[in-house]
Each structure stands twice: as C-alpha cells, then as structure tokens.
Amino acid sequence: MSNQLPASNDNPAMTSLDERVTELLGRMTLVEKIGQMSQVNAADDTIPDNLREDIKAGKIGSVLNQVNVDIVNELQRIAVQESRLGIPLLVGRDVIHGFNTVLPIPLGQAATWNPELVRKGARVAALEAASTGVNWTFAPMIDVSRDPRWGRIAESLGEDPYLTSMLGVAMVEGFQGADLSQPGMIAACVKHFAGYGASESGRDYNTTNIPENELRNVYLPPFKAAVDAGVATLMASFSDLDGVPATANRFLMRQVLREEWGFGGFVVSDWSSIEQLTVHGISANNRDAAFEAVNAGVNMEMASTTYADHLAELLDDGQIDIGLVNEMVAGILRLKFEMGLFENPYTDLSDFPATANDDHLATARQAAKQSIVMLENRNDTLPLKKESLGSLAIIGPMADDPYEQLGTWIFDGNPALSQTPLQAIREALGDSVKINHVRAMETTRSRSTDAFDEARQAAEDSDAVIVFLGEESILSGEAHSRANIDLPGNQAELVRILHETGKPVIAVILAGRPLTLANIVDNLHAMLFAWHPGTMGGPAIADILFGAESPSGKLPVTFPRMVGQIPIYYAHKNTGKPATADSFLHIDDIPVRMFQTSAGMVSSHMDAGNTPLYPFGYGLSYTQFSYADISVSKKEVSMGGRLTVQAVVTNTGKVAADEIVQLYIRDLVGNVTRPVRELKGFTRLHLQPGESRPVSFELDTSDLAFYGRQMQLITEPGEFHAWIGGSSATVLRAEFTVISE
Ligand code: GLC
C-alpha cells in the first residue's frame, strides 16, 4: 500500500497508478469530482430512488452502513454500469472489534500485548466484513486514552503511545494485508485524528487543549506509526483541538499529516463533523464549514452535505481553486485504483470462508483468554480445582448475557453466537459439580435487592462463589461517558452480601473501561478483569477459572483508586515535589490542627495518595516470575548508536505460564520535562516451572527521541534509567548514558 504522496508529475518514475488517477481526473466533471468527496448513509433494506439516482449521476463516492451483499453489489452495479465514468464505490463500516464473530473490545485486545494475535483478529474481521461487500473499515481507533470516564476508552488501545502504536499497526496490517487489491482485504482508517482521547473531564465530544509537544509526544505517534505502516485513510476527529476543531485544523491535516509525514492517502470527516464546525463556532454556516474543511484537507465528507451543497459556489466565487478539489479527489481515486475496485467491484460470497467458522471462533477465544487480567488472587484461590468442588454458585447480571458480553460497537455482532460464562462453566464441569445460578440483578444498573437473598442462599449452599459483574455494553462507547466509574447499581452491595457468607468469592468483571474497584476488593478472594470479551468470552473465562491456562493479560491502562485521581497514568511527569512511598499521610491520619507545612508537602491527594489501585502493565499469573541480573551492553552509547538492555526472567512457581516482559526507560533531564517512565519494548515469554531465560531489548538512541521546545524530534545526550519487569511499577533498574560524539 503506497500511501505516500505520488511521484511528482515531472517525475518520469510516476507510477501507472498516478497516471490512471490523472487520466480519470481529466475526464471528470465538477459534479463528478464533488461526488467522489461525498459519503452517504445507505443502511436501508432497499435502495431509495434518490440514492440510485445520485449514484447514477456520479454524485456519490462512498456509502456506509450497508452490509447486505446483494444490496452492496447492486449499489456497485449502478455506480459501475449506469454512471458516466463507472467509478466504483467505497463501502464503509465500523468493523471495530470483529464483525459477526466479535473479538474482545480493543481495550481488551490491548491487554493481550500480543500484536500477532491482534493482527489475526483484524484479519478475521476483515474476511467476515469483506464477504458482505464492505471494503473499508473505520478502524482502528488509536486515540491515546488516559481518562476512564471517557466511554470511548473502550475502543482504544489504552494510555500508552508505544503500545497503541504497535497494536494499531497490527490492526492496520490485519485489515489491509500486504496488497489491498487482494480479495478479503479492506482499507483501514485510523481515527480520530487527533487528540480526541484528551476530551476534558472524559466527557465525550468535549474540548481538548493539548500543548504542541504533548500532542507530538503522546497523541500523534500512533498515527505516525500507522501512516508509516501504509494505512489507507484517516478520520478527522469531532473534537476542538486548541480552539480549532480537528476537522478544520490545517496544522494537523496539512503541516503534520501531509507536509511532515508525506501522507498520500485520504482523510474522511467524522459523521457530519464538517457541518458541526458551525456548531463549534469556527464557521458561520455550512458554506464556511465546507471552506474550512476542504482547505484543511478533508477529502471526503461523511453524512452531511456541505461539500455537495457549497463547493461549486466556493469555486465560482474564487474562494477555492479547482487544484484543491483535484487534490482531494485524487486521494480518493488513488485508493480505489490501489484496491483494484475498478477491476473487481463486486463481491461473491462464495469466495469467502463462512463467518463465525471454527477458526474465527478459535481466534476470538484466544484473544479473549489472553485479554483477561488477574487483579487479585489471595491464597491462590484460583484456579478452581474441579475435583475438589461439590457445588459452585454462579451469581450476577453478566454471567449469562450473550449480548452484554459483546461490548460496544458491535453493529454486526451476533449474540446468538455468544458462549456465555455460565454456559462454558456448565460445559467445563459437566455433572460433577452442582451449579447454583442466580442472576440477582436484571441489569448491571439495577438498584433492586429483591433477589439478593436468593443469591445469598445460593452462596451458602455452595463451596465457592463466582460473581459476574461489570457494565452493560451501552455504558461505554461513543457518547457514553460516566462521571462515577464505580460498578453501577447495587453490585457492590451484592458482593458484600456474598462475602458475608464466608465462602470464597471470586469476581469476574466484564466492562468497557477501568472501574474504581476499591469498594469491593477487600470482599473478594480473587478478581479477573475480562473487559467485554466478545463472542467467546465464556470459554475463555472458564479456561482461566479452571486453570486450562494461566492468565497472562496486562493492563493497557491505569486503574485509579478513585475517580478524583483522574487523569492518572504511569508515564507522568515528576513535578518539582514528587510524592514518595513514605510521604503519604492519609487524610484520616492527619493530626487535628496539624501545622500547615508540617507534613505531606508533595504532589499527592490526601485521601488517595498518588498511586493507582492497579498500574499500567500489571497483571497476575498462576505462577510467579522473578527478574534479576539486569544489565546494559554498554554504559555509554554514542548518539546514533545502539545498546541492549537485558535481564534474566525465572518462573519461580509451579505452573507453566506466559509473562509479558516490559522495558521502560527514563530520560532524567530534557529540554522539556520527561515522563518518569516510558514503555519502549515488550515481549511474551512462555516459561516452564523453574525455567530461567535471558531476555534482551535493543535500543537505538533514536528510540529515545522526543519533541522539545523547538518542536524538533531529538535525542539529547545525558543520563537514562532502564527497567525490565512485569509491570510499569517494576524496580529492577539499570543506567546508561548517551554521549554526544
Ligand atoms: C461516529 C464515530 C466514528 C464512526 C463514525 C461512523 O460518530 O465517531 O468513530 O466511525 O461515526 O459510524
């Protein structure tokens, strides 16, 4: 996929692709050019006459939300056979974490820290989507997300630019393959460009104010990685970025995306985000909105019609010139040629494997299994030993809900395919264990305690209790932000009641975001966080509960103790008065009338401290891993050189398991302050009990680069720390120095 800007017209090396674009462009009328820049919703079960007519007239370049292959083929037929130039359509759909086979939500997939598995999941999704005629997905969403109040954190890959970059690229590669013109490949669309994850207060669509070097050091790197990996398209964000909404932001779309990065693909607006520029107040009307967006470099308008309605008059009035329109259209045509749509516009279902086939379900199960993060396991309560169980209470609103376990953004997910935790546990235990199942709450938001006595009795009658809690899928995703991220409804009360029975209580949480869990942790023997695990969530959870596999998931996002700590993330700055482990004086322990400056003069909340409940990169295993003998291949590395950081990892426990080994670095002094830690590498090791293995990470000094005050990507000489461990809180540290010569 060559999404780089085309060879210039005077360059004899201009590719046939660009010649085809130039030749076609030269034959297009203005109506047809503006038509390519227009995407319309085509979700109806039939093709409305006006849509049929508009496609025939060359006024539509793309449709979205049609997944009936016969209707898609008819739409393509009209475009190819009835319009004057026969330009095929891009057919877009939000294929966010699967199609019919639903994978874990992207935040859950991020917890696998497994690019190969994430790539494989995107491939499964692409095959299922492409079989319906979809040839473009509005995914992956790669907004760095550090605020769990934000509902869209569910569709993100977490808080870290490096992990988001690695997994975002894996998804792009899974969707697009090596050659977009091959059957079963679909164009990807990384979104939302840019900075949407910084929506103030985690309230969706809210303002973002991001200093340029924070934008360049945190929010842009995943988009740069995707562009370098050949992503076909980007989607502009709804959000207001420093006073200029992304959809009208020339700094983002022109200076960064095209001039600095050389991006030659195209940008689509978000749903009516061009029309919303007037709502933002950056334009006075739709005509001005169209002017702002097209000048910013938004090639295609989704849903609203400001381009169709006003570009011609903007040209007539000389406010824009035809060269700009030609540039926008060329980006769209180039992709259509690249995808082979002119040669193969139609879809033959028989060319594709059946959706939700065994291979697809196996991938979904593996992804769900590796996404599960074990947060607590007191006295090795887990894994449960089937042979020592006589009866088991299965309690809670998320134990047996085929729809809710799928999560947000599952337009084409099929709940009938879901295998729920209750079903999987029954299958795993057979008749050997008596299952006492009580839903106890109609929904996760229920406030009724009517069924709590029944739940208590089920626990009393059982050897152990597994309570399935969390959020219904509608409680996360777009426009679904929460100011309070506790378990909704009376779930905490249910846990308390179950705890009072004295039976071992294991919680399995299915949710679309980190939750504040401090109010249930002490009432649990063990806790698994399974995100919204998708179609195969049940068998994956059962595999972990009964020890078929050890949990290996690691948190891609920080879990706060309380919502007031947000934003709280591991790659924070040190401040001038950092808290230390022994500097925390809890609000309840402050002496009455303590003198104002006598204690705690550090950056910390008196009622929460400055540490999270669970840190980024954290996750327990059924075994234990020790880390030792960290070293660097050289104490001093010259600018432009490379060094290796290595350590020895040992499985000191009794079962074989995977460990996600992580490398963090710190640049102690910079011309802007630098985070106290930054993830710079990770790898998955499988170790047998007692097995030790060296693990090493290669670092180039360019890996240490950042944007400083001059907004140049630079590595500075100086002292660095490096850590290797099983979470961002690891203490095993080495030091090295970058020297300038
Ligand atoms: C939505 C979302 C975007 C999605 C688009 C099409 O509003 O912001 O992520 O791809 O519309 O459904």
Side-chain angles (χ1 to χ4, degrees), residues 64-65 94 138 152 155 191-192 196 205 235 238 270-271 302 409 411 478:
L64 75 158
N65 293 332
D94 291 286
F138 307 122
R152 304 200 75 165
E155 53 186 292
K191 65 185 187 182
H192 305 79
Y196 189 13
Y205 313 127
M235 180 183 291
F238 285 124
D270 202 336
W271 188 283
M302 179 191 287
W409 283 109
F411 287 173
E478 183 173 353

Side-chain angles (χ1 to χ4, degrees), residues 319-340:
Q319 277 195 274
I320 61 173
D321 68 43
I322 193 60
L324 174 61
V325 171
N326 289 343
E327 177 202 357
M328 294 297 100
V329 177
I332 297 164
L333 296 178
R334 190 176 300 115
L335 178 60
K336 292 186 176 184
F337 281 120
E338 182 94 20
M339 293 169 71

Side-chain angles (χ1 to χ4, degrees), residues 513-537:
R513 57 159 50 82
L515 299 173
T516 37
L517 300 167
N519 62 346
I520 64 165
V521 167
D522 294 340
N523 289 339
L524 298 173
H525 287 68
M527 178 158 54
L528 300 177
F529 205 88
W531 315 97
H532 284 125
T535 301
M536 297 300 282

Side-chain angles (χ1 to χ4, degrees), residues 37-41 64 247 269-277 286 289 300-309:
M37 299 169 71
S38 304
Q39 178 185 58
V40 299
N41 194 26
L64 75 158
T247 302
S269 76
D270 202 336
W271 188 283
S272 294
S273 69
I274 297 178
E275 191 173 63
Q276 288 164 18
L277 294 176
N286 282 350
M300 183 182 282
E301 178 170 20
M302 179 191 287
S304 52
T305 58
T306 69
Y307 280 3
D309 298 341

Side-chain angles (χ1 to χ4, degrees), residues 381-395:
T381 301
L382 290 178
L384 292 174
K385 292 132 187 88
K386 298 176 187 176
E387 59 282 0
S388 61
L389 274 177
S391 53
L392 187 59
I394 304 294
I395 310 287

Side-chain angles (χ1 to χ4, degrees), residues 12 22 47 57 65 114 124-125 137 146 230 260 276 327 417 438 519-520 552 589 610 614 628 661 675 707:
T22 303
I47 301 173
N65 293 332
N114 188 335
V124 164
T137 175
R146 295 177 163 178
E260 292 181 19
Q276 288 164 18
E327 177 202 357
L417 296 171
V438 178
N519 62 346
I520 64 165
S552 62
D589 302 328
N610 76 317
Y614 303 110
V661 181
Y707 285 88

